[in-house]
Amino acid sequence: MAKYSRLHGSVGLISLANPPVNALSSVVRHAISEKVAKAFRDPEVTCVVICGENGVFCGGADIREFASTMRGPPLVPMIDAIEEGEKPVVAAIEGVAFGGGLELALGCHYRIAHYKARVGLPEVTLGLLPAAGGTQRLPRLTGVAPALQLITTGRHVAAPEALKLGIVDQVTEQNTVEVAVQFAKSVVGQALHNRRLSLRQLSCPPDGLFEETMAQIKQRARGAVAPIACVQAVKAAATLPFKAGMDKERDLMATLFNSGQAKALQYSFFAQRSVAKWNLPNGAHSGISKARAVHRAAVIGLGTMGRGIVVSLVRAGISVIAMETNEKQLHTGKKMVIAILEKDAQKHNAAPRADLVHFTERLSDLSNVDLVIEAVYEDMVLKKDIFKQLSMICKPDAFLCTNTSALNVDELAAVTGRPEMVVGMHFFAPAHVMKLLEVVYGQHSSPEAVATAMQLGKRLGKVSVAVGNCPGFVGNRMMKLYVEQAHFLLEEGATPEQVDEALEEFGFAMGIFKVSDLSGLDVGWRVRKEAGLTGAGVDWKEPPRRRQGRRYSPLADLLCEKGHLGQKTSRGWYLYEKPGGRDPKPDQGLHSFLVEYRSKYGLKARRIDKDEVLERCLFSLINEGFCILDDGIASGPEDVDVIYVHGYGWPRHRGGPMFYADMVGLSKVLERLEFYHQAHPDVPYLKPSPLLRKLVRNGSPPIREWREFLKRPHSHL
Ligand SMILES: CCCCCCCC/C=C\C=C\CC(=O)SCCNC(=O)CCNC(=O)[C@H](O)C(C)(C)COP(=O)(O)OP(=O)(O)OC[C@H]1O[C@@H](n2cnc3c(N)ncnc32)[C@H](O)[C@@H]1OP(=O)(O)O
């Protein structure tokens, strides 16, 4: 709703009141239209101020309404009516003015913002464009180039920048509504013609701006269509009269509104928020579990992961003890951490925060920290030794976390005298850049430990997802099968380029073989050795290309044995011009190696099309996602999807693997898995998961209903 009051006798004040973000639901739109008309009608009222209750102007259209038939007064005529009014209307912007909220403000004649407020048109991130005049009014206010940048990226702009761009007329540190009221009174009687953005002429955009932007977007968008529509809409603003531009904006919105991409992106928006409301099988949940404050933390191990974690902690203002026993690694790690922090400081024009880090070689220095994150490499014996020592050294109420990406958190907890204080905090490389954090709860992890790790993740700016303990947790457990399928495809006739091309066309930023070269083939090699799949632990009595009773491809092991570890050695699945090179080129040597390999094992190469690449790689991953849901390792499909979008480069406009399965159709996924399982009976994970079968038996309900089909979590309490 919206409230109406009269201030100082002559100012009509309209307050949007729809907590928590004053979204423009149909009720709110109705109320605004009514209150504006009332203020315009009232002869005593000479000016109007529109604001939002509770320190938020408006978070935009109510996204939840997009899923059903839109009812209530549309935004466009409402905003037009405000602009056309004969009384000055001032928007008092506190908190945020996003999307339809900013479009509403652009329809007002003036905008006053609190200095902490942010404005923006983030519709593109929801698969839409600003269709209440935003694409036509913003360019008339800021000029075409800045508007194009803001609308195609959805970037949030802080008030001081908004002032520079001309989006707001004044920024204040005082009470914004009071300032806006005084301002409104001061402009009564002034001509409004120039303040109506729809009447403004646009100056010519720089030559080639649209072509260049379109080319960049097509390269970057990975198949997302909304950014392209945004360029077209802004181009209409620059080339057509206002009314015709509005028609174009509406038509483009009509094509986006019901698209699968818009649905996926809106699902992603809510999924990201839903994972913050975690719950554990033992009944504990975010609503009742209190986090403890972390003032001092420690990180053990200053390899790539450890360094990134230290930087993340410091950026959040947490003092850190960074511990590393290897002198050379300590020196390098220290140099790199300080370099990143100095770069941060330069960027933000602030003092470096390196004083928050204390580097040490001694574990005993960790006696007084609130929380430790162990980030040494994946060696259970080494990790157990560290956890045993930590258990004795750290104060009794310190949380002990491991950054393992796959190892058993319970096994580590068991060597400590405080298993309830142990959780996994699985960061993704580079940890100071990647958004995802898997918080892994063990059998004995206390709700307080989980809450503290989740809260810490939030403080570090991560999207944190609570997951259960199993080999690889959620992300890597699914990833393993995806990688394995890609290797099998090479055995059967594909090249790394073909597989990667299909995955990149699907929307992944990088194909799986390029990713493998980037992170280093030795990473997976170490994991496979640890799992007894290669190296000393192998049972050589098994037939070749079979391990532990199932199909196995030793291709990656063979490359590692040759020293072809990816970018760092200039050869892996691709060829690079020098060690550390970034630009992958097809490697004829690798192709010949594949030919020899196939001939050695009597494998006949066949033509593999893109559909098969996608189905084999993605459906096996999705099938494992269903198993994970069935096992209660993830509490809902949103958790799996958020992990894949934020940690594994899954294209956001495809929602995530589980959402994608829903879009493709569960019966099709089931049918193709059955087909591939029949063709490859020695690959057990291609056998469709019982949960997938159950869902199909029950008529393939939409993803929002899947939780009803999951087993009830059992209580350990
Ligand atoms: C055939 C064609 C027909 C076309 C007709 C359509 C015509 C449409 C015309 C105009 C369209 C305009 C489009 C829009 O305006 S789209 C919305 C654009 N706005 C956004 O993208 C902003 C989204 N929100 C945020 O960025 C943040 O939520 C923020 C406002 C910054 C607040 O952040 P924070 O304080 O961290 O809080 P949360 O993010 O956790 O949010 C709190 C709860 O509020 C819910 N929420 C937030 N924004 C919206 C929204 N716009 N609509 C509905 N709900 C919203 C959010 O989900 C949280 O709730 P919960 O925890 O229950 O999920």
Side-chain angles (χ1 to χ4, degrees), residues 489-503:
L489 288 166
L490 297 195
E491 290 188 334
E492 292 166 36
T495 61
E497 298 84 282
Q498 283 168 347
V499 174
D500 281 356
E501 193 184 308
L503 294 169

Side-chain angles (χ1 to χ4, degrees), residues 20-21 23 59-64 66 70 75 96 98-100 103 118 122-123 126 131-132 253-254 257 269-270 273 277:
V21 302
D62 187 337
I63 305 166
R64 289 187 202 276
F66 294 167
M70 296 284 284
L75 271 177
V96 298
F98 285 162
E103 292 176 298
R118 290 174 298 149
E123 285 87 340
L126 299 168
M253 176 67 152
F257 197 71
F269 174 84
F270 290 113
R273 279 148 185 85
K277 297 169 192 150

Side-chain angles (χ1 to χ4, degrees), residues 19-24 29 56 58-66 70 74-76 79 96 98-103 118 120-123 125-126 128-133 156 249-250 253-258 266 269-270 273-274 277 458:
V21 302
N22 296 327
L24 297 165
R29 296 196 305 274
V56 180
C58 174
D62 187 337
I63 305 166
R64 289 187 202 276
E65 281 187 354
F66 294 167
M70 296 284 284
L75 271 177
V76 170
I79 292 171
V96 298
F98 285 162
L102 179 57
E103 292 176 298
R118 290 174 298 149
L121 294 174
E123 285 87 340
T125 64
L126 299 168
L128 304 173
L129 54 72
H156 298 170
E249 181 189 90
R250 186 201 55 227
M253 176 67 152
T255 61
L256 296 178
F257 197 71
N258 291 313
Q266 288 157 31
F269 174 84
F270 290 113
R273 279 148 185 85
S274 83
K277 297 169 192 150
K458 189 172 178 194

Side-chain angles (χ1 to χ4, degrees), residues 248-482:
K248 181 78 182 171
E249 181 189 90
R250 186 201 55 227
D251 292 348
L252 287 164
M253 176 67 152
T255 61
L256 296 178
F257 197 71
N258 291 313
S259 68
Q261 292 196 5
K263 287 189 176 67
L265 287 159
Q266 288 157 31
Y267 162 84
S268 257
F269 174 84
F270 290 113
Q272 191 176 326
R273 279 148 185 85
S274 83
V275 297
K277 297 169 192 150
W278 53 271
N279 45 69
L280 306 188
N282 64 13
H285 59 84
S286 51
I288 53 166
S289 309
K290 278 235 164 9
R292 202 131 44 75
V294 174
H295 302 292
R296 282 164 62 83
V299 176
I300 304 177
L302 278 186
T304 315
M305 289 310 295
R307 291 168 207 163
I309 299 171
V310 172
V311 170
S312 297
L313 288 162
V314 172
R315 279 180 181 164
I318 297 170
S319 102
V320 187
I321 299 185
M323 189 263 164
E324 168 63 64
T325 48
N326 178 310
E327 200 183 327
K328 192 166 159 232
Q329 180 109 302
L330 177 67
H331 179 73
T332 322
K334 183 173 177 178
K335 231 169 70 182
M336 295 187 82
V337 165
I338 291 174
I340 301 174
L341 294 175
E342 278 175 352
K343 210 163 150 195
D344 278 4
Q346 261 174 8
K347 192 169 150 198
H348 299 114
N349 213 1
R353 319 272 330 253
D355 56 316
L356 284 176
V357 199
H358 169 68
F359 295 90
T360 180
E361 284 180 58
R362 290 188 307 266
L363 205 59
S364 55
D365 287 357
L366 273 55
S367 60
N368 203 22
V369 296
D370 304 315
L371 179 142
V372 182
I373 303 172
E374 163 278 308
V376 301
Y377 53 81
E378 293 292 68
D379 177 338
M380 188 47 118
V381 177
L382 173 64
K383 284 182 193 268
K384 274 186 176 170
D385 182 46
I386 291 172
F387 270 73
K388 234 184 248 168
Q389 295 189 58
L390 287 175
S391 176
M392 290 181 289
I393 291 167
C394 294
K395 59 181 184 181
D397 61 349
F399 298 102
L400 308 182
C401 311
T402 172
N403 176 50
T404 179
S405 60
L407 299 178
N408 188 342
V409 173
D410 286 332
E411 214 176 311
L412 284 176
V415 301
T416 71
R418 55 179 101 174
E420 73 285 0
M421 308 294 280
V422 177
V423 283
M425 287 186 80
H426 177 208
F427 290 83
F428 288 70
H432 59 295
V433 176
M434 294 294 286
K435 279 288 219 187
L436 181 65
L437 176 70
E438 279 182 328
V439 171
V440 188
Y441 54 86
Q443 225 185 332
H444 301 288
S445 305
S446 67
E448 190 188 35
V450 178
T452 303
M454 291 292 286
Q455 175 64 32
L456 180 61
K458 189 172 178 194
R459 206 170 148 196
L460 304 187
K462 307 290 177 199
V463 179
S464 311
V465 186
V467 300
N469 182 30
C470 67
F473 317 128
V474 172
N476 285 346
R477 174 168 158 184
M478 290 165 70
M479 182 75 173
K480 183 168 169 273
L481 316 182
Y482 165 67

